[in-house]
Structure formats: C-alpha cells, structure tokens
Amino acid sequence: MAGWDWDTRNRTLFADRGMRQSVSFSVTAPGSDVKYWIGNYQFLKYVPLWRTWALSFFDGVDYGAPLGNTTAIPPYRQFYGGGPDSVRGFRESRLGPKDQFGNPYGGSLRITSQNELIFPMPAKWAQTARVSAFFDIGNVFQNGSKLKFFGPDGVTPQDYRFNAHNLKRSFGVAVQWLAPLGLFRFSFGVPLMPSTATG
C-alpha cells in the first residue's frame, strides 16, 4: 500500500482554515487467488468568511477494480454509502447496490461531497463544539465488475453503474461535540431524492 498526505489546517479538530489532501493506493500481492486494486482520494478545504463564520468542503472518491480472472473486489472491500461519513439524511450503508432481498451489497465506486456552513460559537465552546448546516451529495455504484443484480422478483435486472442522475442529495444540521470520552457527532438530514432500487 502507498499513500500521500498534505495537511495545512490550522488545527486537527474544529479547523476553520487550511486544507488537506490525501491519496492512497493498494493492490493484492502477486500470486493471490483474488486479485484487485483499491484507490482513494480525499480533499478537504476550509474557507473563512466573516468573523468566525466559515465554509468547509469535503470531496472523496473511492474506487476498486478486479484484476485478471477475478470478477469483482471481495465483499469486505466493497464501499458503502449513507450515514454520517457520506450522505447524511440517508440510513447508514443503505445507498448503492442491493441484493434481491434489499440488503446492502456495496459497490466498487463511492463518491462523496459534504459541504458545510460553519456557525459562530461562543469563545468558551469554540474548541469543543461545532454547529453547521450541510448539503451533501453522493452515492455508491458498481463499475468495472462482472456482477449482475436483480430486483426483489429475482428477474428484473438492476443497473448500478455510475450515472450522475443517481447522485443523492440531502441537507440538514450537524453538531460535533468533543466530550471527555471522545468526539460525538449528531446530524439531522432531509433527503432531497428518495433512495430507490437504483441506489
């Protein structure tokens, strides 16, 4: 596995200026029975506005593909979407490909974009809490594999290949609180598009 990380944020927690970029790449060892590669890219940017108002932009792309005679990346390396780390307002791991029973299967491509307006906080809470309004975009797709998916009837094919029209959107309010036991995150999101059979 190889990776690169560049971080200019003014602090790790509750930053309000600077940026971070990271890239990682991994591939299975030669001779493995299951052969595949995984790539990840993340970009995070903070933009100060006025006083302690700020914007934050997070964009991430995760992609994996099989190699040789392997038909798909293994289930434990598939990507999942929905929930606090991707598109808030959708149930955790419920976006993207599903089996014929409606259970999340995961995908080979995950796109995530979290955009936030960070509200001012009283000085005594500025280092331990954050409140923001967010607008998220993203979804999970199955590209580059030979897998086939079917609906609940077991016959109707489902297409989970990338399509920009299937990127889900949501908006809401998020709260982060640095408690003695660690960082707690809460969010209330409203989906702007339903989570249909196509993800």
Side-chain angles (χ1 to χ4, degrees), residues 11-135:
R11 49 184 174 267
T12 303
L13 285 176
F14 306 131
D16 57 11
R17 62 190 66 236
M19 65 183 294
R20 180 184 181 186
Q21 291 192 77
S22 63
V23 178
S24 63
F25 178 83
S26 61
V27 63
T28 51
S32 300
D33 293 331
V34 179
K35 302 179 180 65
Y36 62 92
W37 64 270
I38 299 285
N40 313 91
Y41 173 74
Q42 293 186 343
F43 172 83
L44 175 62
K45 173 77 173 177
Y46 292 95
V47 181
L49 294 177
W50 178 71
R51 294 184 181 271
T52 55
W53 291 85
L55 293 172
S56 74
F57 304 95
F58 170 82
D59 297 292
V61 177
D62 306 286
Y63 185 73
L67 297 171
N69 295 325
T70 302
T71 58
I73 59 177
Y76 59 88
R77 294 304 305 268
Q78 300 276 359
F79 303 110
Y80 295 86
D85 293 321
S86 57
V87 186
R88 292 164 285 190
F90 291 89
R91 290 173 57 193
E92 189 165 2
S93 300
R94 297 299 299 185
L95 290 181
K98 299 177 179 64
D99 63 24
Q100 66 183 82
F101 302 106
N103 300 313
Y105 184 88
S108 60
L109 169 64
R110 178 174 58 195
I111 297 174
T112 305
S113 178
Q114 295 185 329
N115 311 279
E116 301 190 49
L117 172 63
I118 301 170
F119 300 141
M121 294 293 291
K124 63 178 180 179
W125 294 335
Q127 303 300 315
T128 58
R130 168 164 288 177
V131 179
S132 61
F134 66 81
F135 175 67

